[in-house]
Amino acid sequence: MKLVKHLLDNKGRHVISVAPDSSVLDAIKIMADKAIGSLVVMQDDKLLGIMSERDYARKVIIKGRSSESTHVSEIMTPDVFTASSSHTVNECMNLMTEKKIRHLPVVEDNQVIGMISIGDLVEAIISDQQEEIEQLEHYISG
């Protein structure tokens, strides 16, 4: 089974973050520009929270707030579930399914070293299954 470390080795460890005092509009522009669904909220190197498209939809759009005058800290999710590089893909999938989340910051020694999404996990699981199918086909065909 693949580990989070393997996912990060393939996709990279670049973390896109936003400061808590940034406007929500600036954060949404970053997400749109980078084609991502969430940002970690950081002050210096400290993880303070996570802001997702879901936070934006539920806490800004539906409530009629202004994206320009609302700060990220006002809508972010402060209690962040995280993974470490030694977690398995299945452990992360279980956590994300149970908590109904789509993104997990990867943290080692209190430092955010990457971010994984539900899509990354699904891709890894499909890849593992395809490898297993090919091995079984090879075994059966001799």
mmCIF file of all heavy atoms in Angstrom, residues 46-72:
data_model
loop_
_atom_site.group_PDB
_atom_site.id
_atom_site.type_symbol
_atom_site.label_atom_id
_atom_site.label_comp_id
_atom_site.label_asym_id
_atom_site.label_seq_id
_atom_site.Cartn_x
_atom_site.Cartn_y
_atom_site.Cartn_z
ATOM 1 N N LYS A 46 3.512 28.657 10.919
ATOM 2 C CA LYS A 46 2.530 27.990 11.776
ATOM 3 C C LYS A 46 1.206 27.788 11.043
ATOM 4 O O LYS A 46 0.629 28.731 10.501
ATOM 5 C CB LYS A 46 2.304 28.802 13.046
ATOM 6 C CG LYS A 46 1.383 28.113 14.021
ATOM 7 C CD LYS A 46 1.200 28.897 15.292
ATOM 8 C CE LYS A 46 0.271 28.110 16.203
ATOM 9 N NZ LYS A 46 -0.248 28.878 17.273
ATOM 10 N N LEU A 47 0.721 26.560 11.064
ATOM 11 C CA LEU A 47 -0.572 26.217 10.475
ATOM 12 C C LEU A 47 -1.683 26.692 11.402
ATOM 13 O O LEU A 47 -1.769 26.272 12.550
ATOM 14 C CB LEU A 47 -0.668 24.696 10.277
ATOM 15 C CG LEU A 47 -1.994 24.145 9.776
ATOM 16 C CD1 LEU A 47 -2.311 24.666 8.377
ATOM 17 C CD2 LEU A 47 -1.950 22.624 9.785
ATOM 18 N N LEU A 48 -2.518 27.590 10.890
ATOM 19 C CA LEU A 48 -3.626 28.139 11.686
ATOM 20 C C LEU A 48 -4.975 27.554 11.293
ATOM 21 O O LEU A 48 -5.907 27.559 12.093
ATOM 22 C CB LEU A 48 -3.698 29.652 11.527
ATOM 23 C CG LEU A 48 -2.491 30.456 11.952
ATOM 24 C CD1 LEU A 48 -2.739 31.937 11.698
ATOM 25 C CD2 LEU A 48 -2.167 30.212 13.410
ATOM 26 N N GLY A 49 -5.079 27.103 10.061
ATOM 27 C CA GLY A 49 -6.355 26.586 9.587
ATOM 28 C C GLY A 49 -6.280 26.226 8.123
ATOM 29 O O GLY A 49 -5.207 26.186 7.521
ATOM 30 N N ILE A 50 -7.467 25.970 7.567
ATOM 31 C CA ILE A 50 -7.580 25.655 6.152
ATOM 32 C C ILE A 50 -8.819 26.371 5.621
ATOM 33 O O ILE A 50 -9.823 26.485 6.326
ATOM 34 C CB ILE A 50 -7.636 24.129 5.921
ATOM 35 C CG1 ILE A 50 -7.519 23.784 4.438
ATOM 36 C CG2 ILE A 50 -8.886 23.524 6.525
ATOM 37 C CD1 ILE A 50 -7.240 22.296 4.184
ATOM 38 N N MET A 51 -8.709 26.892 4.423
ATOM 39 C CA MET A 51 -9.858 27.538 3.780
ATOM 40 C C MET A 51 -10.141 26.793 2.492
ATOM 41 O O MET A 51 -9.250 26.613 1.660
ATOM 42 C CB MET A 51 -9.562 28.996 3.460
ATOM 43 C CG MET A 51 -10.756 29.692 2.836
ATOM 44 S SD MET A 51 -10.308 31.286 2.139
ATOM 45 C CE MET A 51 -11.335 31.287 0.695
ATOM 46 N N SER A 52 -11.387 26.370 2.346
ATOM 47 C CA SER A 52 -11.784 25.614 1.159
ATOM 48 C C SER A 52 -12.887 26.332 0.401
ATOM 49 O O SER A 52 -13.495 27.287 0.896
ATOM 50 C CB SER A 52 -12.271 24.226 1.574
ATOM 51 O OG SER A 52 -13.490 24.345 2.298
ATOM 52 N N GLU A 53 -13.146 25.843 -0.789
ATOM 53 C CA GLU A 53 -14.273 26.362 -1.569
ATOM 54 C C GLU A 53 -15.573 26.182 -0.786
ATOM 55 O O GLU A 53 -16.466 27.025 -0.860
ATOM 56 C CB GLU A 53 -14.370 25.625 -2.904
ATOM 57 C CG GLU A 53 -13.203 25.895 -3.822
ATOM 58 C CD GLU A 53 -13.139 24.952 -5.007
ATOM 59 O OE1 GLU A 53 -13.548 23.783 -4.884
ATOM 60 O OE2 GLU A 53 -12.669 25.400 -6.069
ATOM 61 N N ARG A 54 -15.660 25.124 -0.042
ATOM 62 C CA ARG A 54 -16.849 24.869 0.778
ATOM 63 C C ARG A 54 -17.003 25.959 1.845
ATOM 64 O O ARG A 54 -18.105 26.439 2.093
ATOM 65 C CB ARG A 54 -16.734 23.490 1.431
ATOM 66 C CG ARG A 54 -17.975 23.065 2.184
ATOM 67 C CD ARG A 54 -17.785 21.717 2.850
ATOM 68 N NE ARG A 54 -17.679 20.659 1.861
ATOM 69 C CZ ARG A 54 -17.354 19.412 2.149
ATOM 70 N NH1 ARG A 54 -17.083 19.064 3.394
ATOM 71 N NH2 ARG A 54 -17.286 18.501 1.202
ATOM 72 N N ASP A 55 -15.901 26.352 2.486
ATOM 73 C CA ASP A 55 -15.954 27.447 3.466
ATOM 74 C C ASP A 55 -16.458 28.721 2.789
ATOM 75 O O ASP A 55 -17.290 29.444 3.343
ATOM 76 C CB ASP A 55 -14.574 27.725 4.073
ATOM 77 C CG ASP A 55 -14.093 26.616 4.994
ATOM 78 O OD1 ASP A 55 -14.908 26.092 5.764
ATOM 79 O OD2 ASP A 55 -12.892 26.286 4.932
ATOM 80 N N TYR A 56 -15.946 28.990 1.603
ATOM 81 C CA TYR A 56 -16.352 30.185 0.870
ATOM 82 C C TYR A 56 -17.849 30.156 0.557
ATOM 83 O O TYR A 56 -18.565 31.127 0.814
ATOM 84 C CB TYR A 56 -15.533 30.313 -0.413
ATOM 85 C CG TYR A 56 -15.911 31.491 -1.266
ATOM 86 C CD1 TYR A 56 -15.710 32.786 -0.809
ATOM 87 C CD2 TYR A 56 -16.477 31.306 -2.515
ATOM 88 C CE1 TYR A 56 -16.058 33.883 -1.581
ATOM 89 C CE2 TYR A 56 -16.823 32.394 -3.298
ATOM 90 C CZ TYR A 56 -16.615 33.675 -2.832
ATOM 91 O OH TYR A 56 -16.969 34.753 -3.605
ATOM 92 N N ALA A 57 -18.305 29.038 0.042
ATOM 93 C CA ALA A 57 -19.720 28.933 -0.333
ATOM 94 C C ALA A 57 -20.641 29.071 0.873
ATOM 95 O O ALA A 57 -21.648 29.773 0.815
ATOM 96 C CB ALA A 57 -19.973 27.593 -1.034
ATOM 97 N N ARG A 58 -20.271 28.423 1.963
ATOM 98 C CA ARG A 58 -21.158 28.390 3.130
ATOM 99 C C ARG A 58 -21.052 29.609 4.035
ATOM 100 O O ARG A 58 -22.011 29.966 4.714
ATOM 101 C CB ARG A 58 -20.874 27.129 3.954
ATOM 102 C CG ARG A 58 -21.270 25.865 3.233
ATOM 103 C CD ARG A 58 -20.972 24.652 4.064
ATOM 104 N NE ARG A 58 -21.372 23.444 3.343
ATOM 105 C CZ ARG A 58 -21.159 22.224 3.778
ATOM 106 N NH1 ARG A 58 -20.552 22.037 4.938
ATOM 107 N NH2 ARG A 58 -21.551 21.186 3.074
ATOM 108 N N LYS A 59 -19.899 30.227 4.069
ATOM 109 C CA LYS A 59 -19.687 31.297 5.037
ATOM 110 C C LYS A 59 -19.595 32.689 4.428
ATOM 111 O O LYS A 59 -19.557 33.678 5.154
ATOM 112 C CB LYS A 59 -18.426 31.008 5.855
ATOM 113 C CG LYS A 59 -18.512 29.707 6.640
ATOM 114 C CD LYS A 59 -17.181 29.373 7.295
ATOM 115 C CE LYS A 59 -17.211 28.003 7.961
ATOM 116 N NZ LYS A 59 -15.865 27.626 8.425
ATOM 117 N N VAL A 60 -19.540 32.762 3.105
ATOM 118 C CA VAL A 60 -19.489 34.063 2.447
ATOM 119 C C VAL A 60 -20.686 34.202 1.507
ATOM 120 O O VAL A 60 -21.544 35.051 1.721
ATOM 121 C CB VAL A 60 -18.165 34.283 1.677
ATOM 122 C CG1 VAL A 60 -18.181 35.617 0.938
ATOM 123 C CG2 VAL A 60 -16.973 34.243 2.632
ATOM 124 N N ILE A 61 -20.744 33.371 0.498
ATOM 125 C CA ILE A 61 -21.791 33.512 -0.525
ATOM 126 C C ILE A 61 -23.188 33.392 0.080
ATOM 127 O O ILE A 61 -24.023 34.281 -0.081
ATOM 128 C CB ILE A 61 -21.595 32.479 -1.650
ATOM 129 C CG1 ILE A 61 -20.298 32.768 -2.395
ATOM 130 C CG2 ILE A 61 -22.790 32.512 -2.607
ATOM 131 C CD1 ILE A 61 -19.939 31.741 -3.436
ATOM 132 N N ILE A 62 -23.451 32.294 0.769
ATOM 133 C CA ILE A 62 -24.793 32.061 1.310
ATOM 134 C C ILE A 62 -25.182 33.127 2.333
ATOM 135 O O ILE A 62 -26.342 33.505 2.432
ATOM 136 C CB ILE A 62 -24.900 30.645 1.909
ATOM 137 C CG1 ILE A 62 -24.879 29.618 0.775
ATOM 138 C CG2 ILE A 62 -26.146 30.479 2.756
ATOM 139 C CD1 ILE A 62 -24.913 28.178 1.213
ATOM 140 N N LYS A 63 -24.211 33.637 3.076
ATOM 141 C CA LYS A 63 -24.511 34.634 4.106
ATOM 142 C C LYS A 63 -24.465 36.067 3.574
ATOM 143 O O LYS A 63 -24.642 37.017 4.327
ATOM 144 C CB LYS A 63 -23.563 34.465 5.283
ATOM 145 C CG LYS A 63 -23.801 33.129 5.988
ATOM 146 C CD LYS A 63 -23.066 33.035 7.288
ATOM 147 C CE LYS A 63 -23.455 31.718 7.948
ATOM 148 N NZ LYS A 63 -22.974 31.598 9.277
ATOM 149 N N GLY A 64 -24.207 36.208 2.288
ATOM 150 C CA GLY A 64 -24.218 37.542 1.687
ATOM 151 C C GLY A 64 -23.083 38.440 2.141
ATOM 152 O O GLY A 64 -23.208 39.666 2.106
ATOM 153 N N ARG A 65 -21.967 37.855 2.548
ATOM 154 C CA ARG A 65 -20.829 38.655 2.978
ATOM 155 C C ARG A 65 -20.014 39.121 1.778
ATOM 156 O O ARG A 65 -20.080 38.537 0.702
ATOM 157 C CB ARG A 65 -19.947 37.823 3.924
ATOM 158 C CG ARG A 65 -20.679 37.435 5.201
ATOM 159 C CD ARG A 65 -19.905 36.429 6.001
ATOM 160 N NE ARG A 65 -18.923 37.108 6.839
ATOM 161 C CZ ARG A 65 -18.174 36.476 7.727
ATOM 162 N NH1 ARG A 65 -18.293 35.175 7.913
ATOM 163 N NH2 ARG A 65 -17.317 37.150 8.453
ATOM 164 N N SER A 66 -19.205 40.115 1.984
ATOM 165 C CA SER A 66 -18.344 40.636 0.935
ATOM 166 C C SER A 66 -17.023 39.880 0.909
ATOM 167 O O SER A 66 -16.334 39.774 1.928
ATOM 168 C CB SER A 66 -18.067 42.120 1.181
ATOM 169 O OG SER A 66 -16.988 42.556 0.387
ATOM 170 N N SER A 67 -16.654 39.388 -0.261
ATOM 171 C CA SER A 67 -15.373 38.692 -0.422
ATOM 172 C C SER A 67 -14.199 39.640 -0.241
ATOM 173 O O SER A 67 -13.117 39.234 0.170
ATOM 174 C CB SER A 67 -15.284 38.050 -1.805
ATOM 175 O OG SER A 67 -16.304 37.115 -1.985
ATOM 176 N N GLU A 68 -14.413 40.917 -0.559
ATOM 177 C CA GLU A 68 -13.337 41.898 -0.456
ATOM 178 C C GLU A 68 -13.060 42.314 0.981
ATOM 179 O O GLU A 68 -11.916 42.555 1.347
ATOM 180 C CB GLU A 68 -13.675 43.132 -1.291
ATOM 181 C CG GLU A 68 -13.662 42.874 -2.775
ATOM 182 C CD GLU A 68 -14.031 44.115 -3.584
ATOM 183 O OE1 GLU A 68 -14.293 45.174 -2.986
ATOM 184 O OE2 GLU A 68 -14.052 44.000 -4.817
ATOM 185 N N SER A 69 -14.102 42.407 1.799
ATOM 186 C CA SER A 69 -13.902 42.914 3.160
ATOM 187 C C SER A 69 -13.846 41.818 4.223
ATOM 188 O O SER A 69 -13.536 42.105 5.381
ATOM 189 C CB SER A 69 -15.018 43.911 3.524
ATOM 190 O OG SER A 69 -16.273 43.270 3.518
ATOM 191 N N THR A 70 -14.115 40.595 3.843
ATOM 192 C CA THR A 70 -14.041 39.489 4.800
ATOM 193 C C THR A 70 -12.627 38.918 4.780
ATOM 194 O O THR A 70 -12.056 38.683 3.709
ATOM 195 C CB THR A 70 -15.061 38.380 4.435
ATOM 196 O OG1 THR A 70 -16.363 38.951 4.401
ATOM 197 C CG2 THR A 70 -15.037 37.251 5.445
ATOM 198 N N HIS A 71 -12.070 38.702 5.962
ATOM 199 C CA HIS A 71 -10.733 38.122 6.063
ATOM 200 C C HIS A 71 -10.817 36.598 6.086
ATOM 201 O O HIS A 71 -11.801 36.032 6.580
ATOM 202 C CB HIS A 71 -10.019 38.609 7.331
ATOM 203 C CG HIS A 71 -9.673 40.053 7.289
ATOM 204 N ND1 HIS A 71 -10.288 40.988 8.088
ATOM 205 C CD2 HIS A 71 -8.781 40.728 6.534
ATOM 206 C CE1 HIS A 71 -9.786 42.176 7.836
ATOM 207 N NE2 HIS A 71 -8.873 42.049 6.886
ATOM 208 N N VAL A 72 -9.774 35.976 5.599
ATOM 209 C CA VAL A 72 -9.679 34.513 5.588
ATOM 210 C C VAL A 72 -9.886 33.951 6.992
ATOM 211 O O VAL A 72 -10.569 32.941 7.174
ATOM 212 C CB VAL A 72 -8.324 34.068 4.988
ATOM 213 C CG1 VAL A 72 -8.075 32.595 5.222
ATOM 214 C CG2 VAL A 72 -8.254 34.413 3.509
#
